[in-house]
Amino acid sequence: MSYFAGIDIGSTAIKAAVVDDAGALVGTHIAPTGSSFHKNAMETFETLLARHGITRDAVKFITATGYGRKLFKEADDSISEITANAIGAWEAGKAFGGVRTIINIGGQDSKAIQIDVNGNVSNFAMNDKCAAGTGRFLDVAARNLEIDLEELGDYHFGGNGTPLTINSTCAVFAESEIIGLLAKGHGKEEIVAGIHYSIARRTVRLAKRVGIEDRVYFDGGPALNKGLVAALQDELGRELVIPQEPQTTTAFGAAMLARSQFLAEA
Amino acid sequence: MNTTPSEALAYNRSRQAREAETLLDRIQDGFPDNPQAMRYFYDLFRNVYCHGEPVKHEGTLVGTTCIHAPEELIYAFGATPVRLCNGSYHYDQIGADFMPAKSCPLVKATLGSLHAKAAVPNTAALELIVNPTTCDQKTKASAMIAAMGYQVHDLELPPAKESEEARLYWQRSVRRLAVRLRELTGRKLTRNNLKQAMARTARAQAAFRALHQLRKSAPALFLGKDAFLVTNAYFFDDLDRWTAAVEQLNAELLQRQQAGFQAAQKRAPRILFTGSPPIFPNLKLPLLIEEAGGVVVADETCSANRMLYDMTAVDEWLLNDMVDGLADRYLKPCTCPIFTRNDDRQRRLLQLASDFSVDGVVYQAFAGCQVYEMEHRSIADVLAAQDIPMLYVETDYSPDDMGQLSTRIEAFLESIKTRKRSKQ
């Protein structure tokens, strides 16, 4: 049996995925990027192989993607995370009846991608420069509110009043806005919902720039946050397709590409 | 060099010099097959921008802030034009003292370099600056440049180019410039010296056109990063020396063509570059495209194609008619988005896309360069109708967004490759 791997070296987490000859997903593994990403990337990859009893030799092709892709010399090839994400979502989206638009919120950036009827990227947009409205922003907000990142979803649904308006999506300005709201005596629930809506508004603006078509796939770590998902669906006016493990779509896409590249060259 | 060693050392260590050096290193060392004839241009930029060597010119030095300043007229008076449009982030930062932070980095950098009075290239003093009133920001820059102690001539440009009124208005503006240049130089404009000036620029333009034609070759004979360097040298280099260097480059490229040489991979996406002009050392975007495996085969910008493609056509060899013919050359073919109607730009882009077998278009808009920002939708529509993919990039001179930009550019090139594969 031969296997093909995709490794997505993101700013916050390293995601690895392995597919088999038939293109079926064998397994995935996620680990924090940390400061020595190269060592951590190798460990993530090896852990994944060990868990599924796959030898290194059985992996015929590795495609790297994400922030650290070019420095990961163990890979056979590299691909930008936009293309890898599109391939992964297209493949994974088949189980949901097919997807044409992807919203991806990562640790440091957010993207909207439009896929054409053949599964190729037809248009995409990426946020500019700073980490406004990304996973990093949720991180900072949670810290300010002294709650765990995982709890944000519960808080979102816990409030009775309307969500507060948070105008800034810049992590630094939002921080002072959040502190200001706390000082005025507002509840954490309303603030959390406000944060989610502010990210959702910004993300929908980005998605509208590329054009929203058909089913929308939402992935990246923040897609685990049920509150953010609800806010995004509300702002978007449609339901989102969310994969079981939203962090690994891009790594899966890279693995699928590794497979097709290997087969094309063979 | 007539600077003292200590001054030279200080210059080498300046931010401007480092910026230029970093870029030149990337241009020279990052690519394996640089043409021999590019050596002239690499050395020129290193000497002028990294070592601060002075550029010597004949006669009075006249600065220009836009391609609309008719340089044949300046040459005819025995003066030399130097284009002051600046691409340095260092001067952009200095220029932010004069213009709102959100305004165009090109205008800010030009103001910054004029304010620093250490303008690169290091030339003799500018005796006059001709500032065409093109976009609002350049128009408003006039008074600020004058306040810095420079002599400024506002060259009034109409906001339209189709109407006969606009044409006559512009011809009168150009004649007024001739009067100003006569006062400045104490010389007379004659048929003979204007004819000679036109012949000199025509030879340069012919060399550029030959270079331009060579870029139709597929696979590419040389890269766009070098082409932009060549045209940027035209801003300040001696006209005849520049022309000779381009002619030499053309000869080498012709040899490459005959030898079947290729400077890029066969399937490297062929890119047409348009929008805000890449100006040394801000060749950020073209360089990122080629570092990602694309090749810039043509452009529609005022730092290259729009500056050098069109020649003056004179059919009546009387002085006044010649001046009018000259004025026409600077108005009629110009595809800058400052004009109210801009169907010409759309036509030009489609023409270039088909002539150069282009796979995609990269559209650069400097943040704050409103006309390009406003026009990008209409261009995107026109290209989409022809099934030509376009990447719109809003950026400035800061290096902060290079990581993000490289990802976006790679994804764009990847999507072009997939399109091509699925079409086959």
Side-chain angles (χ1 to χ4, degrees):
Chain A
M1 192 76 164
S2 349
Y3 296 93
F4 310 94
I7 183 151
D8 174 12
I9 302 166
S11 60
T12 311
I14 296 168
K15 285 82 62 175
V18 171
V19 299
D20 64 17
D21 280 330
L25 182 65
V26 177
T28 59
H29 185 57
I30 306 171
T33 304
S35 56
S36 51
F37 84 82
H38 192 269
K39 180 173 143 278
N40 294 345
M42 280 313 288
E43 274 176 21
T44 311
F45 178 57
E46 279 157 9
T47 309
L48 175 61
L49 296 191
R51 192 189 296 155
H52 295 277
I54 300 169
T55 61
R56 177 65 187 82
D57 289 346
V59 180
K60 300 298 180 200
F61 204 101
I62 308 171
T63 298
T65 185
Y67 203 62
R69 65 185 178 281
K70 282 181 189 150
L71 298 168
F72 191 70
K73 303 285 181 221
E74 285 74 9
D76 294 287
D77 199 4
S78 67
I79 185 100
S80 72
E81 51 265 37
I82 293 168
T83 308
N85 195 347
I87 296 171
W90 177 256
E91 293 292 341
K94 284 175 181 167
F96 301 91
V99 294
R100 293 281 305 282
T101 309
I102 307 165
I103 290 173
N104 171 290
I105 303 184
Q108 295 283 1
D109 52 39
S110 49
K111 314 177 197 72
I113 306 171
Q114 198 188 67
I115 319 178
D116 68 14
V117 284
N118 301 314
N120 302 323
V121 174
S122 59
N123 200 1
F124 63 88
M126 216 167 148
N127 68 325
D128 304 315
K129 289 181 190 173
C130 78
T134 67
R136 179 80 197 133
F137 173 56
L138 285 171
D139 240 16
V140 171
R143 210 178 50 220
N144 280 325
L145 295 168
E146 293 178 319
I147 54 183
D148 283 343
L149 197 59
E150 291 73 29
E151 292 178 303
L152 283 175
D154 297 332
Y155 272 88
H156 181 88
F157 298 106
N160 299 318
T162 47
L164 290 168
T165 306
I166 309 278
N167 295 310
S168 313
T169 38
C170 168
V172 179
F173 290 120
E175 192 164 357
S176 45
E177 206 171 330
I178 291 165
I179 292 167
L181 291 171
L182 282 173
K184 279 188 196 153
H186 290 291
K188 288 182 183 179
E189 287 80 3
E190 279 72 31
I191 297 177
V192 167
I195 290 165
H196 290 155
Y197 273 97
S198 113
I199 296 179
R201 269 199 307 279
R202 189 185 167 89
T203 309
V204 169
R205 265 208 307 278
L206 188 72
K208 280 190 175 154
R209 255 166 60 194
V210 305
I212 301 165
E213 269 191 64
D214 217 3
R215 269 176 290 270
V216 180
Y217 189 88
F218 178 34
D219 69 357
L224 292 167
N225 178 338
K226 299 273 178 287
L228 180 60
V229 171
L232 201 50
Q233 292 191 140
D234 196 14
E235 287 289 332
L236 211 52
R238 346 176 152 215
E239 271 200 36
L240 292 165
V241 169
I242 296 158
Q244 193 118 55
E245 201 176 52
Q247 290 149 291
T248 54
T249 308
T250 306
F252 171 58
M256 289 302 278
L257 184 76
R259 175 180 166 270
S260 58
Q261 235 173 316
F262 179 80
L263 296 180
E265 284 172 17
Chain B
M1 269 180 76
N2 52 10
T3 44
T4 66
S6 66
E7 277 172 331
L9 183 71
Y11 184 79
N12 286 343
R13 303 189 67 94
S14 73
R15 274 178 61 185
Q16 160 80 57
R18 271 181 288 156
E19 234 180 282
E21 184 130 16
T22 310
L23 181 84
L24 287 167
D25 286 350
R26 272 171 78 199
I27 285 182
Q28 279 184 267
D29 305 339
F31 299 88
D33 297 315
N34 298 326
Q36 292 294 320
M38 278 308 294
R39 190 90 230 170
Y40 170 82
F41 296 99
Y42 300 149
D43 290 346
L44 176 72
F45 278 97
R46 277 200 198 271
N47 291 338
V48 170
Y49 277 84
C50 305
H51 311 308
E53 278 183 21
V55 184
K56 288 198 185 75
H57 286 299
E58 281 170 32
T60 309
L61 206 60
V62 176
T64 63
T65 58
C66 181
I67 53 166
H68 278 101
E71 50 181 26
E72 288 87 346
L73 204 57
I74 298 169
Y75 282 121
F77 281 99
T80 303
V82 173
R83 178 129 163 238
L84 303 172
C85 295
N86 196 296
S88 158
Y89 182 49
H90 172 59
Y91 287 130
D92 167 44
Q93 301 292 92
I94 298 176
D97 289 347
F98 300 92
M99 282 269 180
K102 278 183 182 168
S103 45
C104 169
L106 193 161
V107 179
K108 276 188 289 175
T110 302
L111 286 170
S113 77
L114 288 170
H115 174 71
K117 298 220 162 58
V120 173
N122 171 8
T123 57
L126 299 163
E127 298 200 24
L128 180 71
I129 292 176
V130 179
N131 186 48
T133 57
T134 48
C135 66
D136 289 352
Q137 301 182 41
K138 291 209 173 184
T139 303
K140 298 309 284 181
S142 234
M144 298 174 201
I145 298 172
M148 292 172 192
Y150 295 93
Q151 293 295 316
V152 183
H153 179 86
D154 293 327
L155 183 62
E156 290 177 37
L157 187 89
K161 61 172 189 167
E162 270 85 13
S163 72
E164 194 56 18
E165 288 84 349
R167 187 179 176 216
L168 294 173
Y169 176 84
W170 173 240
Q171 287 174 348
R172 277 203 293 272
S173 288
V174 172
R175 283 186 212 167
R176 267 204 302 280
L177 174 63
V179 172
R180 181 78 189 254
L181 289 168
R182 192 180 64 208
E183 288 164 6
L184 180 78
T185 60
R187 290 212 198 185
K188 249 187 95 181
L189 185 66
T190 65
R191 272 173 61 185
N192 226 356
N193 56 30
L194 186 54
K195 210 168 169 178
Q196 269 177 13
M198 284 180 181
R200 279 179 80 195
T201 55
R203 191 184 142 216
Q205 284 154 340
F208 171 79
R209 278 194 178 206
L211 181 70
H212 182 66
Q213 294 301 324
L214 284 162
R215 294 172 80 186
K216 282 183 182 162
S217 246
L221 299 172
F222 87 132
L223 299 178
K225 48 125 191 159
D226 286 335
F228 276 120
L229 212 57
V230 168
T231 57
N232 268 275
Y234 188 81
F235 281 31
F236 62 88
D237 196 13
D238 172 78
L239 182 59
D240 300 321
R241 229 176 18 233
W242 182 89
T243 308
V246 178
E247 286 167 351
Q248 205 170 350
L249 176 63
N250 289 340
E252 186 180 342
L253 295 182
L254 209 59
Q255 278 174 7
R256 281 187 165 193
Q257 195 172 43
Q258 281 150 6
F261 177 90
Q262 52 185 76
Q265 289 172 348
K266 226 179 206 141
R267 293 205 177 86
R270 296 170 66 84
I271 300 297
L272 168 62
F273 195 97
T274 187
S276 304
I279 292 175
F280 188 88
N282 178 50
L283 301 186
K284 178 166 76 176
L285 205 47
L287 207 54
L288 283 174
I289 294 168
E290 297 189 329
E291 283 171 343
V295 48
V296 177
V297 292
D299 74 280
E300 190 274 325
T301 65
C302 59
S303 60
N305 190 312
R306 208 188 295 153
M307 169 172 72
L308 285 160
Y309 188 76
D310 302 292
M311 299 187 198
T312 309
V314 175
D315 49 10
E316 297 283 350
W317 292 94
L318 291 170
L319 184 58
N320 278 345
D321 297 326
M322 285 167 73
V323 174
D324 288 350
L326 176 66
D328 278 352
R329 170 259 188 272
Y330 282 90
L331 184 71
K332 290 287 178 184
C334 183
T335 49
C336 181
I338 47 168
F339 296 112
T340 53
R341 292 285 180 274
N342 214 11
D343 307 332
D344 263 3
R345 178 153 181 250
Q346 300 177 0
R347 272 197 293 274
R348 176 83 51 94
L349 283 168
L350 291 178
Q351 191 65 48
L352 284 168
S354 94
D355 288 353
F356 288 79
S357 321
V358 157
D359 299 310
V361 174
V362 173
Y363 190 126
Q364 165 169 271
F366 288 151
C369 177
Q370 289 179 336
V371 282
Y372 279 116
E373 289 172 341
M374 286 191 276
E375 202 164 279
H376 99 263
R377 252 171 224 288
S378 66
I379 298 293
D381 290 346
V382 167
L383 292 173
Q386 300 293 319
D387 203 25
I388 303 168
M390 179 182 108
L391 178 71
Y392 174 70
V393 177
E394 193 186 299
T395 183
D396 52 26
Y397 289 178
S398 96
D400 301 354
D401 57 355
M402 283 206 347
Q404 286 236 350
L405 284 182
S406 73
T407 298
R408 287 177 60 188
I409 287 161
E410 275 168 38
F412 181 63
L413 298 179
E414 283 160 6
S415 72
I416 286 175
K417 283 186 180 169
T418 329
R419 278 169 73 100
K420 278 169 83 176
R421 265 204 303 276
S422 57
K423 272 184 190 166
Q424 273 163 10

